[in-house]
Structures are given as structure tokens and as C-alpha cells.
Amino acid sequence: MTYVVTDNCIKCKYTDCVEVCPVDCFYEGENMLVIHPDECIDCGVCEPECPAEAILPDTEPGLEKWIELNAEYSEKWPNITEKKEPLPDAEQFDGKDNKLEQFFSPNGPA
């Protein structure tokens, strides 16, 4: 088992999870974070730290696309090891539906 970052991180990008991760397995895109599946040690400390509740264990049903997305972009984006401010409109986008289709950016951080 590993953890994955899901839809609700998009356009929020809270980084509370990064601060508690003991193995620095988070990677930063322009408008979300992902977890490298081969680096995650399944400790679970990140999950309760996410204000957007966007981190889930990969054993949850229906996460196949998120497992693939985390694996793909953790190989492309830079590692993030320190907490940063969330995106300016994070509160506005927290909880919105279908953010992957509407707002996901494949780009690295600006």
C-alpha cells in the first residue's frame, strides 16, 4: 500500500503534508502535489495533515487514475521538502468537483 494525492489537491496545493513526511516523497506541480509510489513508506502521517482531505491510501476503490497520475508526475516534477503557502484561491477551490478535467496542469511549479 502507498498513499496518493487526489482531485481535491488541484488548485489548492496545501503543503502541510510535505512538512510531516519522513521520506520526502512529495513532488510539486504547478497546481497540485503528487506522491512518488516507490518512495512512500506507507506511514500515513500525511493523510490527516491535508486540509483538503486529498490524500488517500491506494487501496481505496476507484483510485486507479490517481495512482497512475501520481506515478507519472512524480517522475517529472521536482521534489518538495518544505511547506509553502497554498495557492491564493485554495479556499475557493477546496471541495469543487471534477477538478482534474477542468483545472489540472501538467506543468511543474511556476
Side-chain angles (χ1 to χ4, degrees):
M1 182 178 85
T2 187
Y3 284 82
V4 294
V5 180
T6 62
D7 198 49
N8 208 37
C9 186
I10 299 170
K11 297 284 279 181
C12 292
K13 199 165 81 168
Y14 294 106
T15 56
D16 303 62
C17 52
V18 170
E19 190 171 54
V20 299
C21 181
V23 294
D24 298 333
C25 66
F26 283 89
Y27 290 78
E28 180 183 19
E30 181 178 17
N31 66 5
M32 78 172 291
L33 303 175
V34 294
I35 294 173
H36 195 297
D38 296 333
E39 296 174 2
C40 178
I41 60 170
D42 312 323
C43 68
V45 296
C46 60
E47 185 180 16
E49 295 300 318
C50 180
E53 298 180 355
I55 300 173
L56 298 172
D58 69 356
T59 54
E60 295 275 327
L63 293 182
E64 294 79 13
K65 69 181 173 187
W66 294 107
I67 293 167
E68 291 175 21
L69 187 139
N70 277 247
E72 177 181 350
Y73 287 96
S74 64
E75 293 290 337
K76 296 178 180 179
W77 293 342
N79 187 248
I80 179 173
T81 59
E82 294 181 5
K83 183 176 177 177
K84 297 180 179 181
E85 290 296 314
L87 294 177
D89 49 3
E91 288 185 22
Q92 174 188 347
F93 281 94
D94 189 356
K96 292 218 180 267
D97 293 330
N98 303 314
K99 293 198 292 185
L100 178 62
E101 294 79 13
Q102 296 178 30
F103 304 113
F104 173 74
S105 171
N107 301 322

